[in-house]
Amino acid sequence: MSGNSFGKLFTVTTFGESHGPALGCIVDGCPPGIELSEADLQADLDRRKPGTSRHTTQRREPDEVRILSGVFEGRTTGTSIGLLIENTDQRSKDYSNIAETFRPAHADYVYSHKYGFRDYRGGGRSSARETAMRVAAGAIAKKVLADKGVQVRGYLSQLGPIAIDQARFDWDEVGRNPFFSPDAEAAEQMAEYMDALRKEGNSIGARISVEATGVPVGLGEPIFDRLDADLAHALMSINAVKGVEIGDGFAVVNQKGTEHRDEMTPEGFLSNHAGGILGGISTGQAISAHIALKPTSSLRLPGRSINASGEEIEVVTKGRHDPCVGIRATPIAEAMMAIVLLDHLMRDRGQNADVTTDLPVLADVPTQGD
Amino acid sequence: MSGNSFGKLFTVTTFGESHGPALGCIVDGCPPGIELSEADLQADLDRRKPGTSRHTTQRREPDEVRILSGVFEGRTTGTSIGLLIENTDQRSKDYSNIAETFRPAHADYVYSHKYGFRDYRGGGRSSARETAMRVAAGAIAKKVLADKGVQVRGYLSQLGPIAIDQARFDWDEVGRNPFFSPDAEAAEQMAEYMDALRKEGNSIGARISVEATGVPVGLGEPIFDRLDADLAHALMSINAVKGVEIGDGFAVVNQKGTEHRDEMTPEGFLSNHAGGILGGISTGQAISAHIALKPTSSLRLPGRSINASGEEIEVVTKGRHDPCVGIRATPIAEAMMAIVLLDHLMRDRGQNADVTTDLPVLADVPTQGD
Amino acid sequence: MSGNSFGKLFTVTTFGESHGPALGCIVDGCPPGIELSEADLQADLDRRKPGTSRHTTQRREPDEVRILSGVFEGRTTGTSIGLLIENTDQRSKDYSNIAETFRPAHADYVYSHKYGFRDYRGGGRSSARETAMRVAAGAIAKKVLADKGVQVRGYLSQLGPIAIDQARFDWDEVGRNPFFSPDAEAAEQMAEYMDALRKEGNSIGARISVEATGVPVGLGEPIFDRLDADLAHALMSINAVKGVEIGDGFAVVNQKGTEHRDEMTPEGFLSNHAGGILGGISTGQAISAHIALKPTSSLRLPGRSINASGEEIEVVTKGRHDPCVGIRATPIAEAMMAIVLLDHLMRDRGQNADVTTDLPVLADVPTQGD
Amino acid sequence: MSGNSFGKLFTVTTFGESHGPALGCIVDGCPPGIELSEADLQADLDRRKPGTSRHTTQRREPDEVRILSGVFEGRTTGTSIGLLIENTDQRSKDYSNIAETFRPAHADYVYSHKYGFRDYRGGGRSSARETAMRVAAGAIAKKVLADKGVQVRGYLSQLGPIAIDQARFDWDEVGRNPFFSPDAEAAEQMAEYMDALRKEGNSIGARISVEATGVPVGLGEPIFDRLDADLAHALMSINAVKGVEIGDGFAVVNQKGTEHRDEMTPEGFLSNHAGGILGGISTGQAISAHIALKPTSSLRLPGRSINASGEEIEVVTKGRHDPCVGIRATPIAEAMMAIVLLDHLMRDRGQNADVTTDLPVLADVPTQGD
């Protein structure tokens, strides 16, 4: 229930610093009887892990996860599932000049103030390394959801100035380039752009989109735990995220009511501006969310800052870094969406399992790339 | 802990349907000894309430709140505070043709599916009427925060195509026009725009911005209950919100690292792209958040929909409506931000009250309108 | 989630001081579609309310409850249910000499220390008056449980030295005497005992027992939210409770394993020493819990104490008091057990609704008074 | 927030089956800056672990705990602390005949019903093995509390028919015999009694007492999270516990008000029948709680039961077992009390840190064995 836990019924609690011995998490409340193995988790972890292309940080972690409990004879038991990933490739010496300094746009300053001191190696707990456990936990949620026909998929919709072209959208392309881009042409432009950026020593932001299909009608707990509110919480909790949109997001500011509303016919919805959520509850349409990730704070280009004594210093970060954290955020965003959806599916049936109706269930409009 | 509760230590739980006898809420965990009276709450409720200008719904509710517990001899006792607002101006007959129909872009369809049936009068629990209680609870949070030098203020930053001009920004203007616009000129344009919209029978979206100053360094509970994550949760839970940004929000997608980072000097921060939150923890700088509100779904212009039997129908909403819900959302967004900040202030001191440091505390850049 | 809330899915949050304007509560997460009216709640409230016999406090409160939300056309909607009871018979002058004094064995001392000051009239929030709302909320839980064949009933098993005789146990007797005693003869002895006690100006303790039948197998969330752990929490939270037992309770200390274990046969369980809960999960047998209530602290017999300045004083409580709070605790204990059972029923189906087995379901031994 | 988590601010979440690869837990919300090492945890783990005397199960586990995060340069960082204990001495073959059978008075039956199947080896998650992690987490809480002058100590107050004699009470004796008995003479009688019991193949219950001193006034969150209610929850959640008492416990049933009340004088309290908690809030007096543990269910003496097909069978448990679980429960009860106290200390200061009073703070009566 403290800050390192997420979820009401399907709960994820994590631990682990960037340069500590291990990362771990406990997934509690998982429905029993689901087939689960390390391989199920490893697939998504491999999509996320560092060192897989020249465009991401060169730290090489195998990110091999072990399941320590909650699974017996290949199926979940319903008891808490303990997961563990050992850290193997920490290079603490890369950070030795950081102990007394506050790197601009990093969490050094705030962690030191909040807790009095911090594990400064590699960003400690504030490092994106902890997201590995979210991906592992999210893989469990995805497994359970898949059994129920719910699929969660993400992609990079924009990297810096390069936006994907919806006309060239292809889900299969997402897994074929290091950017999770569904647009092959844009992926090539991104590669060039990133090479230039790496030479420059700078970084850039990105926009990630996540979509869930097959979600039943009725998930979400008004008024505070609306499905979109919990999604916003989950997605904004990812390192570097500065914005969250559902459906048309900020475009709604200049939409008229007649333009925005998703009319209904017996054949189904006529549009999906709402992004699959109305009144905080899922409509059965595809749920779409988008996040904005800020550019990485660790740069080779010097930045002005202060040290713990308040003196002016210049900070240059050496070592291995992501010029664009957005590239690896796609599996993390998928994981968080999966966790929220499963938690809400369980909460909804906990309260409303006895509800039966013969109301019409509307089909969705075709989604992108179908 | 269910969907109608928000907060870990400072908790708000609400009830109340649009056309029920009353709305109410319980505020729990309020620090004791704070001076509190109905007048403290009424001020913000009056800012929010309907019927105050021709630009908002013409339903006239006095929204008079009563404090039923938790206050003794003018000060909070630390026990749970019960608040009540009677509904007086419900016109149920305005909705009688809605019982068996699903209005497009409303929550009728999803509520009926989720619960099996719904209180259809005025939108029932899905109506924005419940936000009155959030504003009342938020006023309590604002009171406690004010004692600690924290101020929360909001304003309308954009209505449809009309954006405010930062150069004409004046906090005092916000309370002088019905739009909460800090730009007098833009307010005039908005009035004209809204008059035309009302004639047309349509609606438009809006963008609200909220800012908190005087926030101490160190609020936020990584990794899941980061301050920005909880803010996103709180703000996205407001009816009609489809997007949340912190600081530069979606603009970060195309910002380079050198452009985005807020450098530090002994004199203070040199910028505030982060919006006052780094690594999910407050930096002491002004916290800024922005929300996108979709256009109202209740329109006089006919829309296509279905009824409970799945037959095609046309829906025209009569009665009293907001052509732009954004106009009244400002006090609601302020309230939610205040609730989150107080909750986090309490959580932080609960865990870290013994932390002492002599670290430098950096000044912020001057904020807008100072 | 703060101290005035109980439950994970079926949540009860209350407010209200002994001499404040009103008591209230919000019941959240109630399954929809359940028939509910004020009359359903009033029945249990009338069982609990003061002034119904010469053996309880002479304060006369009608305890009329109003349902303010969450019910439409006679059925629960699934949205939060607001309940309100106005206080009408507060006699504040009876407590005017209490403001600066700490009554021994009351919560005056601790409330003043914790919060800095307190609403001293009638015990403020620490008064047993707040239990009226628990009973109202519990009545809702009982209604939902009844639909599922679960019945919760309580009785007084001992008052001071007078224990009921199991051989004379009759459930119908419970509602026929003011003690909730299932033993008519014991009830007469209790009446005499209490008359003497009232003359003496003293008070006595009591033991209440609560039983639930028809509970399905499998309720309880190990390891911390075991069903018995949550029951213990709920029951110990009732004013004046100093002990909680499940099944044989403290008698197990001197039981051998062969004596204690409830053996199983195809015809059913052979005994029920466990009280219907094993490993923290319901077995399907009758659940039995017992609580010990201390004697009322408000006595006409002088007691030594101190005032807020630390000076020695003598305290004599005038006014209207319960010589035995146990007499009215039965409906409160029933209410708490019902709330816990419903919460767990919902939690269990939230996680395990897809579990199907063809395992044998064992019958219980006959319970008392059948 | 699910069943395997406990606490609101200081939170403990655990995982691990009796015969799984490892047990682990995450302690979240620990105040930063506390010196902590594996040695601090190992001391209490060694007090609890199996195989230390002939009177407990002969399974030999080193129970060596590793700290995987949340500690840097010897001090807690305020981030989540991951703990891990590898299981080394599982003998799965000892349980191979259990897979399809339900042992009487064990959780086999209920786990199989709830989850559809279970990890049957050594009791799986229902085994008392998981309590090792509670003890490790509790050791962290004890460390933090010790810094604040709060001490938590437990002892065996009764084993079967053998009660300790208060006149011979000696805290130093507790650590000198395998029973945690503060009465040396009683310890000898217990040894004889247990030897006879082991020969017989039977088991017996026990009563454990836990005491906390140095607790400040004002801990506890009425009305539901009263300190005694949370203690009851925590203690009842321990395997085999069937009853919880605070202070005089069930003796209050037959106490008059004049006998029970703890009068106050300027020199301090005159008694402590309340057990240090009034109105659910700590008084500053020694907090005392007592639990009843049922006799172990695993016996060499045959018991009647059924198998998964509903057929009658006889169950004899071979292998290594505790004839009296009470013997090892003392460190577990201490751990749970420490966790509750620290959680409440943090909750109280989270809400009430600004409260200052000059009210008198009363001294306690001398406690036993001083």
Side-chain angles (χ1 to χ4, degrees):
Chain A
M1 200 169 301
S2 254
N4 289 285
S5 281
F6 186 86
K8 294 283 159 76
L9 286 194
F10 183 81
T11 310
V12 178
T13 307
T14 81
F15 72 83
E17 274 83 56
S18 180
H19 284 228
L23 309 169
C25 89
I26 298 176
V27 174
D28 198 13
C30 184
I34 308 291
E35 291 184 9
L36 192 71
S37 68
E38 271 103 354
D40 292 321
L41 314 186
Q42 204 59 53
D44 268 335
L45 282 167
D46 290 346
R47 294 170 69 216
R48 177 208 158 277
K49 80 183 181 196
T52 50
S53 83
R54 71 178 185 281
H55 301 294
T56 65
T57 178
Q58 294 310 296
R59 174 171 175 177
R60 298 200 177 286
E61 288 283 357
D63 274 359
E64 271 178 31
V65 66
R66 291 172 60 201
I67 297 177
L68 298 179
S69 69
V71 176
F72 182 60
E73 294 178 346
R75 293 182 297 155
T76 54
T77 57
T79 60
S80 45
I81 301 172
L83 305 177
L84 196 74
I85 292 178
E86 310 272 353
N87 276 333
T88 63
D89 192 27
Q90 317 92 305
R91 288 188 211 169
S92 293
K93 62 179 174 62
D94 284 339
Y95 295 97
S96 52
N97 65 331
I98 292 300
E100 286 299 302
T101 64
F102 299 135
R103 299 168 294 168
H106 276 275
D108 305 350
Y109 176 74
V110 292
Y111 265 68
S112 292
H113 264 283
K114 182 178 179 76
Y115 299 114
F117 77 112
R118 72 188 200 277
D119 177 349
Y120 55 80
R121 305 165 301 165
R125 182 65 174 157
S126 69
S127 155
R129 183 108 189 87
E130 56 85 0
T131 59
M133 292 325 306
R134 302 190 199 210
V135 170
I140 295 178
K142 279 184 173 183
K143 198 86 202 291
V144 183
L145 289 172
D147 275 11
K148 295 183 169 302
V150 180
Q151 182 182 35
V152 178
R153 295 184 293 186
Y155 60 93
L156 180 78
S157 39
Q158 185 170 343
L159 187 150
I162 307 163
I164 63 163
D165 186 327
Q166 289 293 334
R168 294 194 299 257
F169 194 105
D170 178 3
W171 276 114
D172 293 333
E173 179 60 31
V174 172
R176 288 199 290 252
N177 61 76
F179 300 99
F180 295 99
S181 163
D183 172 355
E185 215 173 289
E188 289 180 23
Q189 297 168 22
M190 291 172 183
E192 288 183 30
Y193 185 86
M194 289 287 289
D195 285 338
L197 205 61
R198 198 169 303 106
K199 283 203 184 73
E200 185 190 336
N202 215 331
S203 63
I204 192 66
R207 182 174 183 269
I208 301 287
S209 300
V210 204
E211 183 181 283
T213 52
V215 181
V217 194
L219 303 196
E221 301 298 321
I223 54 163
F224 291 115
D225 288 348
R226 288 177 141 110
L227 186 62
D228 41 0
D230 260 342
L231 278 172
H233 188 148
L235 294 170
M236 188 70 88
S237 81
I238 299 172
N239 312 61
V241 173
K242 301 305 288 186
V244 181
E245 293 177 314
I246 301 289
D248 284 10
F250 277 85
V252 307
V253 174
N254 199 14
Q255 281 178 2
K256 287 197 174 169
T258 45
E259 295 164 341
H260 178 79
R261 66 182 172 188
D262 301 314
E263 292 178 291
M264 298 180 275
T265 74
E267 289 66 51
F269 287 92
L270 294 185
S271 56
N272 190 5
H273 296 282
I277 300 176
L278 267 185
I281 298 173
S282 60
T283 60
Q285 296 179 277
I287 292 176
S288 59
H290 316 277
I291 57 179
L293 292 118
K294 67 174 193 177
T296 321
S297 309
S298 296
L299 308 175
R300 289 204 317 273
L301 300 167
R304 299 175 64 181
S305 192
I306 60 165
N307 62 18
S309 311
E311 299 160 331
E312 182 138 19
I313 58 170
E314 190 182 79
V315 174
V316 174
T317 311
K318 304 184 182 58
R320 312 159 295 176
H321 303 283
D322 256 322
C324 178
V325 290
I327 293 178
R328 289 198 294 142
T330 299
I332 305 167
E334 292 175 4
M336 294 315 299
M337 182 178 271
I339 289 167
V340 170
L341 287 176
L342 179 56
D343 191 36
H344 273 269
L345 188 142
M346 292 171 58
R347 291 178 71 176
D348 178 60
R349 77 182 177 187
Q351 179 189 15
N352 304 307
D354 292 333
V355 169
T356 56
T357 77
D358 51 7
L359 294 170
V361 178
L362 296 180
D364 194 7
V365 276
T367 50
Q368 60 200 346
D370 285 351
Chain B
M1 199 168 304
S2 252
N4 287 287
S5 283
F6 186 87
K8 294 283 159 75
L9 287 194
F10 183 81
T11 309
V12 178
T13 307
T14 81
F15 72 82
E17 274 83 56
S18 181
H19 284 227
L23 308 171
C25 90
I26 299 176
V27 174
D28 197 14
C30 183
I34 308 290
E35 291 183 10
L36 192 71
S37 69
E38 272 102 355
D40 292 321
L41 313 186
Q42 205 58 53
D44 268 335
L45 281 168
D46 291 346
R47 294 171 69 219
R48 177 207 159 276
K49 80 183 180 193
T52 49
S53 83
R54 70 177 186 282
H55 301 294
T56 65
T57 180
Q58 293 310 296
R59 175 172 174 175
R60 299 203 176 283
E61 287 282 358
D63 275 356
E64 271 177 31
V65 66
R66 292 173 59 200
I67 296 177
L68 298 178
S69 69
V71 177
F72 183 61
E73 295 179 347
R75 292 181 296 153
T76 54
T77 57
T79 60
S80 45
I81 300 172
L83 305 177
L84 194 73
I85 291 178
E86 310 272 352
N87 276 333
T88 64
D89 193 27
Q90 316 93 306
R91 289 189 209 168
S92 291
K93 61 178 174 63
D94 284 341
Y95 294 97
S96 54
N97 66 329
I98 292 299
E100 287 298 302
T101 64
F102 300 134
R103 300 167 295 167
H106 276 275
D108 305 350
Y109 176 73
V110 292
Y111 265 68
S112 292
H113 265 284
K114 182 177 178 72
Y115 299 115
F117 78 112
R118 72 188 199 278
D119 177 350
Y120 54 81
R121 307 164 300 165
R125 183 66 174 153
S126 69
S127 153
R129 184 106 190 86
E130 56 84 0
T131 59
M133 293 324 306
R134 303 192 199 207
V135 170
I140 295 177
K142 279 184 173 183
K143 197 88 202 289
V144 183
L145 289 173
D147 275 9
K148 296 182 169 300
V150 180
Q151 182 181 35
V152 178
R153 295 183 294 185
Y155 60 92
L156 178 79
S157 40
Q158 184 170 343
L159 186 149
I162 306 164
I164 63 164
D165 187 328
Q166 290 292 334
R168 294 193 298 257
F169 195 106
D170 178 3
W171 275 114
D172 293 333
E173 179 60 32
V174 172
R176 286 199 290 253
N177 62 77
F179 300 100
F180 296 99
S181 163
D183 172 352
E185 217 174 286
E188 288 180 24
Q189 298 169 19
M190 290 172 184
E192 288 183 32
Y193 185 87
M194 288 287 289
D195 285 339
L197 204 61
R198 198 170 304 105
K199 284 204 184 68
E200 186 191 332
N202 216 332
S203 62
I204 193 67
R207 182 173 182 270
I208 300 288
S209 300
V210 204
E211 184 182 283
T213 52
V215 181
V217 194
L219 303 196
E221 302 298 322
I223 54 163
F224 290 116
D225 288 347
R226 288 176 142 109
L227 186 61
D228 41 359
D230 259 341
L231 278 172
H233 187 147
L235 295 171
M236 188 71 86
S237 80
I238 299 172
N239 311 61
V241 173
K242 302 304 288 186
V244 181
E245 293 178 314
I246 302 289
D248 284 12
F250 277 86
V252 307
V253 175
N254 200 14
Q255 282 178 0
K256 288 196 174 171
T258 45
E259 296 164 343
H260 178 80
R261 67 183 171 187
D262 301 314
E263 293 178 290
M264 298 180 275
T265 73
E267 289 67 48
F269 286 93
L270 294 185
S271 54
N272 190 4
H273 296 281
I277 300 176
L278 266 184
I281 297 172
S282 58
T283 60
Q285 295 180 278
I287 291 176
S288 60
H290 316 276
I291 55 179
L293 292 118
K294 68 174 190 175
T296 322
S297 308
S298 296
L299 307 174
R300 289 203 316 272
L301 300 169
R304 299 175 64 178
S305 193
I306 60 164
N307 63 17
S309 310
E311 300 161 331
E312 182 139 18
I313 59 171
E314 190 182 80
V315 174
V316 173
T317 311
K318 304 183 180 59
R320 312 158 295 176
H321 304 282
D322 256 322
C324 178
V325 290
I327 293 178
R328 290 198 293 143
T330 299
I332 306 168
E334 292 175 6
M336 294 314 300
M337 181 177 273
I339 290 167
V340 170
L341 288 176
L342 178 55
D343 192 36
H344 273 270
L345 188 143
M346 292 170 59
R347 291 178 72 177
D348 177 60
R349 75 182 179 187
Q351 180 189 14
N352 304 307
D354 292 333
V355 169
T356 57
T357 76
D358 52 6
L359 295 170
V361 179
L362 296 179
D364 193 8
V365 277
T367 49
Q368 59 203 347
D370 285 351
Chain C
M1 199 170 303
S2 255
N4 288 288
S5 282
F6 186 86
K8 294 285 159 75
L9 287 194
F10 183 82
T11 310
V12 178
T13 306
T14 81
F15 72 83
E17 274 83 55
S18 181
H19 285 227
L23 310 169
C25 89
I26 300 176
V27 174
D28 197 14
C30 183
I34 308 290
E35 291 183 8
L36 192 71
S37 69
E38 272 103 353
D40 292 322
L41 313 186
Q42 204 58 55
D44 268 336
L45 282 168
D46 290 347
R47 293 171 69 218
R48 176 209 159 276
K49 79 184 183 196
T52 50
S53 83
R54 71 178 184 280
H55 300 293
T56 64
T57 178
Q58 292 312 296
R59 175 171 174 177
R60 297 200 178 286
E61 287 283 358
D63 275 358
E64 271 178 31
V65 66
R66 291 173 58 200
I67 296 177
L68 299 180
S69 69
V71 176
F72 182 61
E73 294 179 346
R75 293 183 296 154
T76 54
T77 57
T79 60
S80 44
I81 301 172
L83 304 177
L84 195 74
I85 292 178
E86 311 272 354
N87 276 333
T88 64
D89 193 26
Q90 318 92 304
R91 288 188 211 170
S92 293
K93 61 178 174 65
D94 284 339
Y95 296 96
S96 52
N97 65 329
I98 291 301
E100 285 300 302
T101 64
F102 300 135
R103 298 169 295 168
H106 276 277
D108 305 350
Y109 176 73
V110 292
Y111 266 68
S112 292
H113 264 282
K114 182 178 179 73
Y115 299 115
F117 78 113
R118 71 187 201 279
D119 177 350
Y120 54 80
R121 305 165 300 164
R125 182 66 175 157
S126 68
S127 154
R129 184 105 190 88
E130 57 84 1
T131 59
M133 291 325 305
R134 302 192 200 208
V135 170
I140 295 178
K142 278 184 174 184
K143 198 86 201 292
V144 182
L145 289 172
D147 276 9
K148 297 185 167 300
V150 180
Q151 182 181 35
V152 177
R153 295 184 293 186
Y155 60 92
L156 179 79
S157 40
Q158 185 171 342
L159 185 150
I162 307 163
I164 62 161
D165 187 328
Q166 290 292 337
R168 293 193 301 261
F169 194 105
D170 177 3
W171 274 115
D172 293 333
E173 179 60 31
V174 173
R176 286 199 291 252
N177 61 76
F179 300 99
F180 295 99
S181 163
D183 172 355
E185 216 172 287
E188 288 180 24
Q189 297 169 23
M190 291 171 183
E192 287 182 32
Y193 185 87
M194 288 287 290
D195 285 338
L197 204 61
R198 196 169 305 105
K199 282 203 184 73
E200 186 190 334
N202 215 331
S203 63
I204 193 69
R207 182 174 183 270
I208 301 288
S209 301
V210 203
E211 184 181 283
T213 53
V215 181
V217 194
L219 303 196
E221 302 298 323
I223 54 165
F224 290 115
D225 286 349
R226 287 176 141 108
L227 186 62
D228 41 1
D230 259 343
L231 278 172
H233 188 149
L235 295 170
M236 188 70 86
S237 81
I238 299 173
N239 312 61
V241 173
K242 301 305 289 187
V244 181
E245 293 178 312
I246 302 290
D248 284 11
F250 277 86
V252 307
V253 174
N254 199 14
Q255 282 177 1
K256 288 196 175 171
T258 45
E259 295 164 344
H260 178 80
R261 67 184 172 187
D262 300 315
E263 292 178 291
M264 298 179 274
T265 74
E267 288 67 50
F269 286 92
L270 295 185
S271 55
N272 190 4
H273 296 281
I277 300 175
L278 266 185
I281 297 173
S282 59
T283 60
Q285 295 179 277
I287 292 176
S288 58
H290 316 276
I291 55 179
L293 293 117
K294 67 172 191 177
T296 322
S297 309
S298 297
L299 307 175
R300 288 203 316 273
L301 300 167
R304 300 175 63 181
S305 192
I306 60 165
N307 63 17
S309 311
E311 300 160 331
E312 182 138 20
I313 59 169
E314 190 182 80
V315 173
V316 173
T317 312
K318 305 187 180 62
R320 313 161 293 178
H321 304 283
D322 257 323
C324 178
V325 290
I327 293 178
R328 290 198 292 144
T330 299
I332 306 167
E334 292 174 5
M336 294 315 300
M337 181 177 273
I339 290 167
V340 170
L341 288 175
L342 179 56
D343 192 37
H344 273 270
L345 188 141
M346 291 171 59
R347 292 178 71 175
D348 177 61
R349 77 181 177 186
Q351 179 188 15
N352 304 309
D354 293 332
V355 169
T356 56
T357 76
D358 51 8
L359 294 169
V361 178
L362 296 180
D364 194 7
V365 275
T367 50
Q368 59 200 346
D370 285 352
Chain D
M1 199 167 306
S2 252
N4 287 287
S5 282
F6 186 86
K8 294 283 159 75
L9 287 194
F10 182 81
T11 309
V12 178
T13 307
T14 81
F15 72 83
E17 274 84 56
S18 180
H19 283 229
L23 308 171
C25 89
I26 299 176
V27 175
D28 197 14
C30 184
I34 307 290
E35 291 184 9
L36 192 71
S37 69
E38 271 103 354
D40 291 322
L41 314 185
Q42 205 59 54
D44 268 336
L45 282 168
D46 290 345
R47 292 171 71 218
R48 176 207 159 276
K49 80 183 181 194
T52 50
S53 84
R54 71 177 184 283
H55 300 295
T56 65
T57 179
Q58 293 311 297
R59 175 172 174 176
R60 297 198 179 288
E61 288 282 359
D63 275 357
E64 270 178 32
V65 66
R66 292 172 57 200
I67 297 177
L68 299 179
S69 69
V71 176
F72 183 61
E73 293 179 346
R75 291 181 298 154
T76 55
T77 57
T79 59
S80 43
I81 301 172
L83 305 177
L84 195 74
I85 292 178
E86 311 273 352
N87 276 332
T88 63
D89 192 27
Q90 316 92 305
R91 289 189 210 167
S92 292
K93 62 179 175 62
D94 283 339
Y95 294 98
S96 53
N97 65 330
I98 292 301
E100 288 299 301
T101 64
F102 300 134
R103 299 168 294 167
H106 276 275
D108 305 349
Y109 176 73
V110 291
Y111 266 68
S112 292
H113 265 284
K114 183 178 179 72
Y115 299 115
F117 78 112
R118 72 189 200 278
D119 177 350
Y120 54 81
R121 305 165 299 165
R125 183 65 174 156
S126 70
S127 154
R129 184 107 190 84
E130 57 85 0
T131 58
M133 293 324 307
R134 302 192 200 208
V135 169
I140 296 177
K142 278 184 173 183
K143 198 86 202 291
V144 183
L145 289 172
D147 276 9
K148 298 183 167 297
V150 180
Q151 182 181 35
V152 178
R153 293 184 295 186
Y155 60 92
L156 179 79
S157 40
Q158 185 170 344
L159 185 149
I162 307 162
I164 62 163
D165 187 327
Q166 290 292 336
R168 294 193 298 258
F169 195 106
D170 178 3
W171 276 113
D172 293 332
E173 179 60 33
V174 172
R176 285 199 292 253
N177 62 77
F179 300 99
F180 296 98
S181 164
D183 171 352
E185 217 173 285
E188 288 180 24
Q189 298 169 22
M190 291 172 183
E192 288 183 30
Y193 185 87
M194 288 287 290
D195 284 339
L197 206 60
R198 196 170 304 105
K199 282 202 185 70
E200 186 190 332
N202 215 332
S203 63
I204 193 68
R207 183 173 182 271
I208 301 288
S209 301
V210 203
E211 184 181 282
T213 53
V215 180
V217 195
L219 302 196
E221 302 298 323
I223 53 164
F224 291 115
D225 287 348
R226 288 175 141 108
L227 186 62
D228 41 0
D230 259 343
L231 278 172
H233 188 147
L235 294 171
M236 189 69 86
S237 80
I238 299 172
N239 311 62
V241 173
K242 301 305 288 188
V244 181
E245 293 178 314
I246 302 291
D248 283 11
F250 277 86
V252 308
V253 174
N254 199 14
Q255 283 178 359
K256 287 196 173 170
T258 45
E259 295 165 343
H260 177 80
R261 67 183 171 189
D262 300 314
E263 292 179 290
M264 300 180 274
T265 73
E267 289 67 50
F269 286 93
L270 294 185
S271 55
N272 189 5
H273 295 282
I277 300 176
L278 266 186
I281 297 172
S282 58
T283 61
Q285 295 180 277
I287 292 176
S288 59
H290 316 277
I291 55 178
L293 292 117
K294 67 173 191 176
T296 322
S297 309
S298 297
L299 307 174
R300 288 203 317 274
L301 299 168
R304 300 175 63 180
S305 192
I306 60 165
N307 63 16
S309 310
E311 300 161 330
E312 183 139 16
I313 58 169
E314 190 182 79
V315 174
V316 173
T317 312
K318 305 184 181 58
R320 314 158 293 175
H321 305 284
D322 256 323
C324 177
V325 291
I327 293 178
R328 291 197 292 143
T330 299
I332 306 168
E334 293 174 5
M336 294 313 301
M337 181 178 272
I339 289 168
V340 170
L341 288 176
L342 179 55
D343 191 37
H344 273 270
L345 189 142
M346 292 170 59
R347 292 178 71 176
D348 177 62
R349 76 182 178 186
Q351 180 189 15
N352 305 307
D354 293 332
V355 170
T356 56
T357 77
D358 51 7
L359 295 170
V361 178
L362 296 179
D364 194 7
V365 276
T367 51
Q368 61 202 347
D370 288 351

